[in-house]
Amino acid sequence: MDLTVDQAALNIFDPAWHHDTFPNYQVLREAGPFAPGPLGLRLVTRYREVDTILQDSAWSHAEEGTIMHPDSDGSDLPTSFLWMEPPDHTRIRRLVGKAFSARRIEGLRARVTEVAGGLVDAAIAAGEVDLVEAIAYPLPLTMIAELMGVPASDHAAVRSMSFGLARGLDPDILLSQAEIDHRRSSAAAFREYFTDLVARRRADPADDLVSALALAEAEGDRLTNDEMLATLVVLLVAGHETTVSLISSTFLMLMRNPDQYAALQANPDLASPAVDELMRYCTPSHLTTRVATRDVEVHGEPFAAGDGVIILLASANRDADLYADPERLDLTRYAGSGAVPRHLAFGRGHHYCIGAPMVRLEMELLLRTLARRAPRLTPLVDPPPYRPNLVVRGIAELPVRIVG
């Protein structure tokens, strides 16, 4: 199909293309590093320009709420430090970062292995399952909830609340009134839930993130109650929704690329470097926004203060100027001694994903479990149905036959 630049720019926001929007990205990249986009914003399509903007302090992420949700008062978008810039971003991220240190996350290795193994074994025993429900959701949700201190009995409830917020991150112009109302009710329910949990942890602290932030706020460590509640919400939502998408897409791509699955089974040590290739190839969060805080040029393209851009992370990760054969999944891409450009799926600069160590650990150990159990995976539907979500997009259901 021959696509014009204008058609490609529209298609990337159309749920009908969510199963494979990469041909649209290719058309946009070939047309240039910048293309006209919706909401008066320019689309940034290529790696070099995306990388530059993400690392330049002249570009702010704090305006995403205004761009995407102009009629919201912010109470239904508890995104905390995700949509902040220094010094507030630095202050809150420093408090939260202690829970996501490499040392703390590495200490979860045995628990992640246990959870991943149990889920894979249960799926094999069932024979035919929806991998989204059987593995992709429960693994990251269990781990972020346990790290934060959310009791297992509450996992189903917080997942339901999270679902409404994840869809609500999309531009309001793409949402129905029912979806906007669901975002509001989910945000209110989350605030009520964490208000109660924080009160319980203040009275009886535990070794978890909720207790740590509650005590930090109580000790006057420059974290207000509203900031703490918003931070807890965003950590729970961001801490599993994008990983659900990554895991689901990983299963689908391993089934579509049996040679790569065979290579993993033959060499389980590919699991660690394979995570980077899967992040590049299956980028779970396709786009983000930035606004210029002053007049600035990006590789010759002028922007005035106040100009905004939509950064196409998934497009940049398929840029042929940076990656050899970028449309091919190659689990060995990051395993060799040669230099390979880092992918941009975790972002860059001071907004680099704080949960990256957790994602890496969960994915590595899930891949090792698959290599060790070596189940045969057969899709029962291909392509599978996708969620309508634009920002946190992913597969809605992935029915498979799985044989150990």
Side-chain angles (χ1 to χ4, degrees), residues 91-305:
R91 171 174 55 87
I92 297 177
R93 185 178 175 115
R94 184 175 61 247
L95 288 170
V96 174
K98 298 172 184 177
F100 291 90
S101 68
R103 185 181 203 178
R104 176 73 181 268
I105 298 303
E106 186 61 24
L108 299 174
R109 181 170 287 269
R111 177 58 177 152
V112 177
T113 299
E114 177 187 15
V115 174
L119 293 172
V120 171
D121 286 347
I124 292 172
E128 291 188 3
V129 295
D130 170 10
L131 286 177
V132 175
E133 290 296 322
I135 298 175
Y137 253 111
L139 175 58
L141 178 57
T142 297
M143 297 316 304
I144 189 62
E146 289 185 358
L147 181 69
M148 294 180 67
V150 173
S153 57
D154 295 341
H155 288 189
V158 298
R159 174 182 169 181
S160 177
M161 292 180 252
S162 177
F163 189 85
L165 284 186
R167 174 58 172 152
L169 292 175
D170 288 353
D172 285 358
I173 195 171
L174 299 179
L175 302 179
S176 67
Q177 187 58 50
E179 288 169 326
I180 293 175
D181 291 343
H182 191 197
R183 180 179 72 203
R184 290 171 179 157
S185 63
S186 296
F190 252 136
R191 287 179 180 276
E192 181 178 349
Y193 174 79
F194 276 120
T195 296
D196 176 69
L197 185 57
V198 166
R200 283 187 276 145
R201 288 295 186 269
R202 281 186 178 142
D204 185 18
D207 183 21
D208 57 46
L209 182 58
V210 172
S211 298
L213 290 184
L215 294 174
E217 189 273 336
E219 293 166 3
D221 198 0
R222 298 186 303 151
L223 184 67
T224 69
N225 193 64
D226 284 345
E227 287 173 339
M228 178 175 57
L229 294 176
T231 298
L232 291 172
V233 173
V234 74
L235 288 174
L236 187 63
V237 175
H240 79 278
E241 286 286 356
T242 53
T243 312
V244 172
S245 173
L246 178 62
I247 292 173
S248 303
S249 297
T250 291
F251 274 117
L252 182 61
M253 293 309 149
L254 290 178
M255 288 187 286
R256 287 181 177 173
N257 297 272
D259 62 317
Q260 296 302 301
Y261 188 29
L264 174 67
Q265 290 174 330
N267 180 13
D269 286 339
L270 270 182
S272 182
V275 174
D276 282 305
E277 173 66 351
L278 289 163
M279 287 295 295
R280 182 196 72 83
Y281 194 80
C282 307
T283 307
S285 185
H286 278 224
L287 59 87
T288 186
T289 65
R290 293 292 188 273
V291 171
T293 59
R294 56 177 172 78
D295 294 352
V296 63
E297 276 196 7
V298 180
H299 299 292
E301 180 83 359
F303 292 87

Side-chain angles (χ1 to χ4, degrees), residues 80-95:
S80 185
F81 63 95
L82 286 188
W83 291 354
M84 289 181 180
E85 291 298 322
D88 287 336
H89 175 274
T90 307
R91 171 174 55 87
I92 297 177
R93 185 178 175 115
R94 184 175 61 247
L95 288 170

Side-chain angles (χ1 to χ4, degrees), residues 333-352:
R333 189 182 299 269
Y334 289 90
S337 57
V340 180
R342 63 189 299 176
H343 63 78
L344 301 176
F346 287 131
R348 288 277 264 167
H350 60 267
H351 282 290
Y352 184 82

